[in-house]
Amino acid sequence: MTSDVAAEERGSKQASDDAFAIAAALLRSDLLILPWLLLALGLPSAAQVFLLDLPEWFFVSAVVMERFLQLAVLFAVTRRWKHRLEQPGSRGGKVGKAFLRTLLFGTVLWLLCVAPLVASTLQPQSSLILVAAFLFVFGLVWSLRHYFYFVPTAMLGLDLRDSAVKSLDLTKVTPRAALRSALAPAGITLLLVNLCSVPYPDGRSVLWSSLGAFSQSTFWLLSTYSALAFSLTMLDDADWRAAGLDPYRAERLQTLKVQGRGKLADLFTARTGVQAIVLAVLIFISNSLRDFNEAPAASFSIKRVEYGDNSVTVFVQVSDPQYALRGFLPVMFSVATRDGTQFSRQPPTIKGEAEREGQVSRVEGLTTEISLNLQFLTNRSAESLKTQADLWLWYKGTPVAALPNAESSAERGATTTTGSARAPAAP
């Protein structure tokens, strides 16, 4: 029993190594078109970062366009290699129908994962949050089971029903193929995104934030070639012949394996994926600590403070002419003494200057200045708060403005602390 399991593991590892070598060969062969594929995949994400002042429908359109381009690239690469592997005189099938099936199948799998996330974001306090979490997990599992759906639609030319059955059959051939195929692309992408956050962890720089968003396209590009390579090794001979591919299958795949072996093949391995994820997590932790402890880019000016029993209401003006409040999060305010003794954590209620209903959790669009009404909860009476001689408004891990009160307002000449004076300039 043990020897059978070990043999199965060795066979599975060998199949994965072959797939990684084939993926490297496919990628190397398409080297000239890779920059164009990256541009098509990355521009919608980058545009959502540096075009913040456009209406909301633009961002919805950009997300939809991003998904459309991802599926278009997946289909184009698959059809390109179907054509290159076809035997002479073979008819490739109807491209339009194959593309529509790929688009529909891929969109449904995407919505199964995205819709619960959107619902939980819109209603974070809803009692249905557990239902949304369950639906997300269900969608993720279902997407992994149909991970190779593009092969029956784009390469084999099957209809939607047969494609669903065939994609399940492909995952049964090598049950962990989807995870092995996606691990390295995911790890490398996470590493690139976190590296782009190193210069300015709070996201104040439009250049580095755009590069970080653009680098997310790396996952789709690498996973497309990795998944296609796994698919070529998992297709049975009957499907291979039905697709009109080269009858000398073993020889064609062996040629690709030989061409792909080397450093580039190592890029797709699970070991590379794990190493990249570990390094990305370490960089993320470092960036998070720096983001919390470094001085903010904005300046903070206290307009007035109202003390009540168990509450402090702070009216503050936030100004950031250099970065237009990019990366600024109103929920990161707190009230504490100068040495950090906590009086109240993040405000449960944040309103704009007009004190409109609802929470201002983030700054929409680009603006150099904003006035906020911050309502903090404490366990102190109004009299106790008014006589507190050392009370400050904090933003993340930095005290940014002293709060005036009956005893200390006369002694404090300034109630404004400029974070940008201590922060480095971003491009």
Side-chain angles (χ1 to χ4, degrees):
M1 179 78 70
T2 303
S3 60
D4 291 342
V5 172
E8 184 179 348
E9 287 294 329
R10 286 194 298 270
S12 178
K13 184 180 185 302
Q14 181 59 47
S16 296
D17 291 341
D18 291 345
F20 296 143
I22 292 173
L26 302 181
L27 196 67
R28 184 179 286 116
S29 181
D30 286 353
L31 199 59
L32 293 179
I33 68 171
L34 294 184
W36 303 106
L37 297 180
L38 278 173
L39 280 175
L41 292 170
L43 282 180
S45 295
Q48 296 174 57
V49 174
F50 61 79
L51 297 176
L52 288 179
D53 279 332
L54 293 179
E56 187 174 343
W57 63 263
F58 168 82
F59 298 99
V60 177
S61 302
V63 172
V64 175
M65 178 59 68
E66 182 179 29
R67 182 58 180 176
F68 176 84
L69 289 172
Q70 288 172 349
L71 294 172
V73 167
L74 176 64
F75 179 82
V77 171
T78 303
R79 293 295 294 194
R80 171 182 172 85
W81 279 98
K82 171 181 169 59
H83 177 70
R84 298 185 71 172
L85 293 172
E86 279 179 338
Q87 55 183 315
S90 176
R91 294 188 300 175
K94 297 181 178 180
V95 177
K97 285 186 176 181
F99 176 66
L100 289 177
R101 289 166 183 161
T102 304
L103 184 65
L104 181 59
F105 208 138
T107 301
V108 170
L109 292 181
W110 176 63
L111 288 175
L112 284 175
C113 294
V114 170
L117 291 179
V118 173
S120 61
T121 301
L122 295 176
Q123 297 291 335
Q125 305 300 327
S126 173
S127 59
L128 298 178
I129 191 70
L130 292 179
V131 177
F134 170 79
L135 291 177
F136 170 73
V137 173
F138 171 80
L140 185 61
V141 172
W142 200 246
S143 296
L144 288 174
R145 294 188 67 188
H146 291 277
Y147 189 77
F148 301 101
Y149 69 90
F150 63 94
V151 176
T153 57
M155 182 167 282
L156 303 182
L158 302 181
D159 59 28
L160 288 175
R161 180 181 178 279
D162 291 340
S163 294
V165 174
K166 179 58 67 175
S167 61
L168 283 175
D169 291 341
L170 286 174
T171 56
K172 291 177 182 178
V173 173
T174 309
R176 288 181 291 225
L179 291 175
R180 287 174 174 168
S181 171
L183 185 59
I188 293 169
T189 303
L190 284 174
L191 180 58
L192 290 175
V193 170
N194 282 280
L195 284 174
C196 289
S197 297
V198 169
Y200 302 96
D202 62 356
R204 71 182 69 169
S205 169
V206 61
L207 172 61
W208 287 102
S209 295
S210 298
L211 286 175
F214 185 88
S215 63
Q216 295 174 18
S217 61
T218 307
F219 171 76
W220 196 263
L221 185 70
L222 294 180
S223 63
T224 292
Y225 283 92
S226 180
L228 178 59
F230 268 90
S231 302
L232 293 177
T233 63
M234 292 189 300
L235 282 175
D236 58 38
D237 290 333
D239 291 330
W240 184 276
R241 290 192 298 270
L245 301 180
D246 194 320
Y248 299 100
R249 178 189 182 185
E251 289 78 3
R252 292 298 299 271
L253 292 183
Q254 183 60 34
T255 299
L256 289 173
K257 293 173 192 175
V258 173
Q259 291 174 347
R261 286 178 184 144
K263 295 294 184 181
L264 189 56
D266 295 339
L267 185 72
F268 289 95
T269 62
R271 180 180 180 181
T272 298
V274 171
Q275 291 174 339
I277 289 174
V278 171
L279 186 55
V281 170
L282 293 176
I283 295 175
F284 172 79
I285 294 173
S286 173
N287 287 343
S288 300
L289 292 174
R290 287 178 53 215
D291 178 26
F292 186 80
N293 291 295
E294 287 182 355
S299 300
F300 304 84
S301 177
I302 303 297
K303 292 182 175 181
R304 72 178 191 275
V305 179
E306 296 177 357
Y307 298 101
D309 290 334
N310 303 319
S311 70
V312 178
T313 302
V314 180
F315 297 83
V316 61
Q317 182 172 311
V318 186
S319 177
D320 185 7
Q322 185 174 5
Y323 304 105
L325 294 176
R326 286 183 181 274
F328 172 67
L329 299 172
V331 296
M332 299 307 295
F333 282 112
S334 63
V335 173
T337 62
R338 185 67 175 84
D339 63 4
T341 302
Q342 196 72 237
F343 270 66
S344 179
R345 299 191 182 276
Q346 67 180 50
T349 303
I350 306 173
K351 297 180 180 179
E353 190 171 17
E355 298 189 13
R356 60 183 182 274
E357 294 293 331
Q359 188 89 339
V360 183
S361 58
R362 57 177 296 175
V363 179
E364 301 293 342
L366 297 177
T367 181
T368 60
E369 195 171 274
I370 187 173
S371 295
L372 296 173
N373 174 353
L374 312 173
Q375 298 177 345
F376 297 93
L377 299 179
T378 73
N379 58 359
R380 302 291 188 92
S381 66
E383 290 302 318
S384 175
L385 291 169
K386 288 178 181 179
T387 57
Q388 176 66 39
D390 185 25
L391 211 55
W392 284 70
L393 179 69
W394 285 60
Y395 180 75
K396 295 182 179 177
T398 303
V400 293
L403 301 184
N405 56 50
E407 290 192 356
S408 60
S409 58
E411 299 176 4
R412 295 193 185 104
T415 61
T416 303
T417 297
T418 303
S420 56
R422 293 175 287 169

